[in-house]
Amino acid sequence: MILIIFLPILLCISVGEIKIKMNNLYGENKEITEEYDKSLSVECNNGIFVGKLKENVISFKGIPYAKPPIDELRWKNPVPAEDSNKVYQAFFYGKAPIQKEFPFSQGSYYPQGEDCLYLNIWVNKNDKSENKPIIVFIHGGSYKGFSTSEPLFEGQNLVEKFPDLIFITIEYRLGILGFIDFESVEGGDNYKTSNNLGLLDIICGLKWIQKNIKKFGGDPETITLMGESSGATLISLLPLIEESKGLFKRIIAESGSLNLSYSKSESKLLTEKLLEKSGAKNIEELIDLSGEEIKELQKELNDYCNFAIREENILPLDLYEVYKSGKGNDIDMLLGSNENEYNYWIKSFGSSFSSNKILSKLSGELLFRVGIPILFESYYYKNMNDEDKKLVDKFLNSLNVKNIWKYSEFLTEIIFRLPVTKQAEYHSEAGGKTYVYLWKYAAEQKKLGAFHTLEMPYTLDNVGKYEFGTLENPEFEDTVQEMWVNFARTGNPSISKLNWEPFDTDKRKIMVIDEKFELIEDYKTEQRKLLEPLLKYNFNSNRNEISYNVPFVYKNAFAAISILLILIFTFGKLIK
């Protein structure tokens, strides 16, 4: 009872602090009609943009790469920004995509709007070389959250450390504006690409980069896409889209692969809910909704949002098969996963309640202990045939850990590690240069291990800006970043003190990233072989199918009812 009373207070304090911090970062870039510092400006096709200098790095924030996707352009393909010779500030991030606010995502508290198609560039002023390698980072967030304004995604530190590097982040549409199927809606025939507008936004951003990046000193032939979670999936999907051909040379995909996508049938629920909640009967009535109404609908429908959709128009139905056929084999790939990916949700559940470390840990583990078995039984186990259920039972029984950690290990394997491995297999077999890593470095997170997202503060050189806490380790950070940047430069992550051999289906060599870096062969062979048949289900962490009509609830009725009451009280009354 005491926990229930104090959680709302702590949550409100935490949220208030984040809102103040993010609002202080916001501003609107305006046209400059007076004198300006030409040494901080770059002339692009759609304007002259003036950046800000911090230490040795110039940042250009909030550059529009497309027209605002509002009014008649809502749910339409991005339209490239119009040519202009006017001078504009590039001081502030553009608006965050419309999304639900979450305490563990600072970027979700940045001012939001439909007009969100902007990109941000960091360049080192002291490096005068031409044809610099470029990393374009695509953020994750389950296709419904986060934004480029997230402090963790800033390029300042990385470009300060590696002066020859240009770092770029691209914003794209999320949720009901970025990934929704209108096939069944009256008037939907004119919106056949609404399924994957977020992907088309990124392609539009990459075309802007191809057109303008030489003016910043960058090499349009040496562009590496880097993404995490759903961002890693998006950049893994781009090689399969003909329109993206020639826009980039390499990808670094962290903890995300082809399975983090939806089938057409899975995508229908969001459309039904949108029509139900909005009262709209056709596309015209949806277009007539105001921006504020769209914001409220996104908050209400957050839990039903789609991933990228396999629909034959933009994306093929069988993504693995297209990789197997050799599509995209001209792209160099660095792919990987973390040792304990699914333990992240203990952290994120807890952070949804409180910024207090003790209460966050208690509430997070309580929700995880109840929620994960329910998710496992109502979605994964329910959708398997009897033979595959036996494989899962054998896998779980082989693990020398308690039940909650068994489920986490299974989900880590089936949602993250196996799909990444299969993507690497097919790309390598088709002749593509492929490197694979396993991230085991856990810093101070000894109990939770190397969970989802934990690698980002190290690879992006933003250790102090990570929401869940990390330990500084300069030697480790330098080594990881040098490997990532060297891959962006050359297509090979090897460095002077570490030789990283490519992955192939014979030796299956992967780099284990821990306090000690080690190249090993065929990690967890038996686990992989045991669960590999489950890849055919395309399990993607779809929580829409969760049902409480499962054995775990019957056996633990009191605990389940208690946690449901906490959820209903806290989320229903407070966050709403």
Side-chain angles (χ1 to χ4, degrees):
M1 181 61 70
I2 293 175
L3 183 63
I4 294 175
I5 292 171
F6 281 100
L7 277 174
I9 298 171
L10 291 166
L11 179 64
C12 289
I13 293 172
S14 174
V15 167
E17 291 173 348
I18 295 172
K19 280 188 172 181
I20 292 170
K21 177 180 178 181
M22 297 310 292
N23 279 323
N24 286 340
L25 293 177
Y26 179 69
E28 293 188 9
N29 291 319
K30 302 183 185 304
E31 182 182 351
I32 298 174
T33 57
E34 300 175 348
E35 287 296 314
Y36 60 92
D37 189 341
K38 290 182 173 56
S39 70
L40 302 179
S41 70
V42 175
E43 183 178 354
C44 303
N45 75 287
N46 57 325
I48 298 169
F49 296 97
V50 182
K52 275 190 173 183
L53 180 65
K54 181 181 178 183
E55 296 172 352
N56 297 317
V57 176
I58 309 174
S59 63
F60 299 87
K61 296 178 180 177
I63 297 178
Y65 65 84
K67 290 183 178 180
I70 59 176
D71 301 327
E72 71 277 1
L73 292 182
R74 181 186 286 170
W75 289 304
K76 285 289 191 178
N77 289 10
V79 178
E82 292 181 347
D83 289 351
S84 172
N85 57 9
K86 293 181 179 179
V87 183
Y88 299 97
Q89 296 172 337
F91 300 165
F92 308 103
Y93 293 108
K95 287 186 177 177
I98 289 174
Q99 59 192 277
K100 187 174 181 178
E101 297 171 340
F102 280 108
F104 59 88
S105 167
Q106 295 183 54
S108 70
Y109 290 95
Y110 193 76
Q112 301 176 13
E114 289 185 77
D115 177 12
C116 64
L117 302 185
Y118 298 85
L119 53 76
N120 316 290
I121 304 174
W122 286 264
V123 182
N124 196 301
K125 190 175 187 289
N126 290 346
D127 188 286
K128 304 299 183 182
S129 62
E130 297 180 353
N131 297 322
K132 297 181 182 183
I134 302 151
I135 289 180
V136 179
F137 181 77
I138 307 299
H139 68 77
S142 296
Y143 301 93
K144 62 187 178 184
F146 291 87
S147 76
T148 58
S149 59
E150 200 85 32
L152 178 60
F153 306 150
E154 290 181 355
Q156 174 74 31
N157 294 339
L158 202 61
V159 174
E160 178 76 20
K161 183 180 288 186
F162 300 95
D164 67 322
L165 180 69
I166 292 177
F167 189 82
I168 303 175
T169 57
I170 298 178
E171 199 61 271
Y172 58 99
R173 282 171 282 186
L174 303 172
I176 61 175
L177 292 171
F179 301 92
I180 192 166
D181 184 4
F182 285 138
E183 183 180 65
S184 61
V185 180
E186 183 184 332
D189 287 346
N190 295 321
Y191 292 81
K192 291 183 178 179
T193 58
S194 62
N195 297 280
N196 289 298
L197 288 171
L199 266 169
L200 299 183
D201 291 342
I202 294 168
I203 290 173
C204 186
L206 290 172
K207 288 180 177 179
W208 186 97
I209 292 168
Q210 282 288 329
K211 186 181 292 186
N212 294 287
I213 202 61
K214 268 188 168 296
K215 300 286 185 69
F216 294 84
D219 180 7
E221 300 296 321
T222 313
I223 292 177
T224 298
L225 303 186
M226 177 178 173
E228 189 273 339
S229 195
S230 58
T233 299
L234 287 166
I235 66 172
S236 296
L237 296 175
L238 284 171
L240 308 182
I241 302 174
E242 195 61 33
E243 194 180 348
S244 74
K245 193 168 182 62
L247 297 181
F248 56 95
K249 190 175 182 65
R250 305 182 176 102
I251 72 169
I252 301 174
E254 301 175 8
S255 303
S257 189
L258 309 178
N259 63 306
L260 297 182
S261 57
Y262 272 15
S263 65
K264 287 273 285 183
S265 60
E266 287 177 304
S267 71
K268 289 179 179 178
L269 181 59
L270 178 63
T271 308
E272 294 169 0
K273 290 288 184 183
L274 176 61
L275 294 175
E276 176 191 330
K277 294 289 185 183
S278 67
K281 297 178 177 58
N282 53 50
I283 286 289
E284 286 187 7
E285 292 182 6
L286 287 171
I287 296 296
D288 286 341
L289 293 171
S290 69
E292 287 305 312
E293 287 174 307
I294 288 289
K295 281 185 181 181
E296 289 306 311
L297 285 165
Q298 176 62 47
K299 290 176 183 178
E300 286 190 66
L301 300 176
N302 182 76
D303 292 340
Y304 302 100
C305 283
N306 296 326
F307 289 4
I309 302 170
R310 308 185 299 273
E311 36 65 64
E312 288 188 293
N313 185 24
I314 297 172
L315 290 178
L317 297 180
D318 191 333
L319 302 174
Y320 290 107
E321 191 60 34
V322 180
Y323 256 89
K324 189 176 182 180
S325 73
K327 187 79 170 177
N329 63 359
D330 57 333
I331 302 296
D332 303 332
M333 296 191 179
L334 194 161
L335 314 169
S337 62
N338 296 354
E339 174 77 349
N340 314 102
E341 296 271 10
Y342 217 82
N343 291 355
Y344 166 83
W345 278 268
I346 296 178
K347 280 283 190 180
S348 65
F349 285 158
S351 294
S352 295
F353 280 93
S354 176
S355 59
N356 179 279
K357 288 186 177 181
I358 297 176
L359 289 178
S360 174
K361 180 180 178 182
L362 288 172
S363 57
E365 289 199 26
L366 179 60
L367 283 166
F368 195 78
R369 286 183 181 279
V370 175
I372 294 309
I374 293 174
L375 173 64
F376 171 79
E377 292 181 3
S378 64
Y379 173 50
Y380 298 94
Y381 209 63
K382 175 186 173 183
N383 287 315
M384 298 178 208
N385 63 40
D386 290 341
E387 288 302 310
D388 290 335
K389 286 179 181 177
K390 290 177 183 177
L391 296 178
V392 175
D393 291 339
K394 184 177 180 180
F395 171 82
L396 294 174
N397 291 332
S398 71
L399 300 176
N400 188 29
V401 290
K402 294 181 179 179
N403 281 343
I404 184 175
W405 305 113
K406 288 183 179 182
Y407 292 129
S408 187
E409 177 71 12
F410 169 76
L411 294 172
T412 292
E413 197 72 41
I414 199 65
I415 297 175
F416 296 102
R417 191 144 46 243
L418 271 176
V420 165
T421 303
K422 185 56 67 176
Q423 180 180 341
E425 283 181 16
Y426 285 156
H427 189 63
S428 173
E429 288 176 341
K433 190 192 294 185
T434 317
Y435 296 88
V436 179
Y437 72 86
L438 173 72
W439 189 284
K440 295 183 75 171
Y441 184 71
E444 85 270 34
Q445 311 289 348
K446 299 303 181 185
K447 182 176 182 180
L448 298 182
F451 55 76
H452 192 61
T453 75
L454 187 62
E455 86 290 347
M456 273 197 298
Y458 296 101
T459 59
L460 296 175
D461 198 18
N462 284 322
V463 170
K465 298 175 182 178
Y466 186 55
E467 181 69 20
F468 296 146
T470 44
L471 290 178
E472 291 190 5
N473 185 335
E475 184 179 355
F476 174 83
E477 294 166 43
D478 290 347
T479 301
V480 169
Q481 290 155 23
E482 189 178 349
M483 290 192 296
W484 259 234
V485 172
N486 208 46
F487 178 78
R489 289 172 179 146
T490 67
N492 187 334
S494 299
I495 57 177
S496 59
K497 60 182 179 180
L498 277 173
N499 181 43
W500 188 337
E501 296 179 35
F503 177 93
D504 59 44
T505 51
D506 179 22
K507 294 185 178 180
R508 310 179 71 88
K509 289 190 175 181
I510 66 171
M511 180 65 74
V512 175
I513 297 176
D514 205 343
E515 291 190 14
K516 176 185 177 184
F517 292 75
E518 183 181 10
L519 197 65
I520 65 170
E521 294 185 7
D522 206 2
Y523 181 72
K524 292 190 176 181
T525 309
E526 295 306 315
Q527 284 194 193
R528 174 178 58 81
K529 291 180 178 179
L530 191 61
L531 295 183
E532 196 167 38
L534 304 186
L535 281 171
K536 63 178 175 282
Y537 294 108
N538 279 307
F539 285 134
N540 54 25
S541 194
N542 185 343
R543 295 181 177 86
N544 293 335
E545 294 191 28
I546 292 179
S547 166
Y548 298 106
N549 185 24
V550 292
F552 177 82
V553 174
Y554 307 148
K555 295 174 184 176
N556 301 274
F558 178 76
I561 291 171
S562 298
I563 198 66
L564 282 174
L565 288 174
I566 292 174
L567 282 169
I568 291 168
F569 177 83
T570 306
F571 286 112
K573 301 293 183 183
L574 302 170
I575 294 180
K576 206 166 186 177

